[in-house]
């Protein structure tokens, strides 16, 4: 059973930083996990793709709203993906979900790419 375990959420003042971590385990296929990323969701609104990374070549993708402030990175030896969030704004307040691809396909920032989702970690940014 694939598990994505997130950590690092919390409360911070605007302008501050947080780093989210996501560790994956339980893959049974060599084609799983080639694309990992982060989505976020505010209650009552749809999911928004934040960042993604191709775990084979390290190519990254970002939503326009976070470019220049957020950085996604990986530690393949630990099967872990990170999201460094700087210059946080109140609009970044959301539940953040780690995601991983289930099959062998293109890596890009679209929910259809990701077959596995974590339980989420909450990020609250106060003004």
């Amino acid at each position: 059973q694939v598990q994505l375990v997130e950590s690092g959420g919390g409360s911070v003042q605007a302008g501050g930083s947080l780093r989210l971590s996501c560790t994956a385990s339980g893959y049974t296929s060599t084609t799983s996990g080639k694309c990992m990323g982060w989505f976020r969701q505010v209650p009552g609104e749809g999911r928004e793709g934040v960042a993604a990374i191709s775990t084979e070549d390290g190519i990254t993708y970002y939503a326009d709203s976070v470019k220049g402030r957020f950085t996604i990175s990986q530690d393949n030896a630990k099967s872990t993906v990170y999201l460094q969030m700087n210059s946080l704004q109140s609009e970044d307040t959301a539940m953040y979900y780690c995601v991983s691809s289930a099959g062998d396909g293109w890596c890009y920032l679209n929910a259809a790419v990701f077959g596995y989702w974590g339980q989420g970690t909450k990020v609250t940014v106060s003004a």
Side-chain angles (χ1 to χ4, degrees), residues 19-100:
R19 189 175 83 153
L20 306 183
S21 300
C22 171
T23 299
S25 63
Y27 291 132
T28 58
S29 169
T30 56
T31 60
S32 296
K34 290 187 175 181
C35 186
M36 295 188 69
W38 296 89
F39 276 67
R40 65 187 181 186
Q41 187 170 24
V42 176
E45 298 184 13
R47 295 175 299 190
E48 177 190 18
V50 176
I53 185 167
S54 171
T55 58
E56 291 188 307
D57 54 26
I59 295 176
T60 57
Y61 308 84
Y62 294 96
D64 288 343
S65 59
V66 306
K67 280 180 182 176
R69 300 188 298 122
F70 291 11
T71 302
I72 189 169
S73 61
Q74 61 179 340
D75 183 338
N76 284 345
K78 298 180 180 179
S79 298
T80 299
V81 171
Y82 305 97
L83 185 68
Q84 177 67 43
M85 305 185 294
N86 297 328
S87 302
L88 282 161
Q89 306 165 358
S90 56
E91 306 88 86
D92 297 315
T93 295
M95 187 71 80
Y96 283 71
Y97 297 92
C98 178
V99 294
S100 176

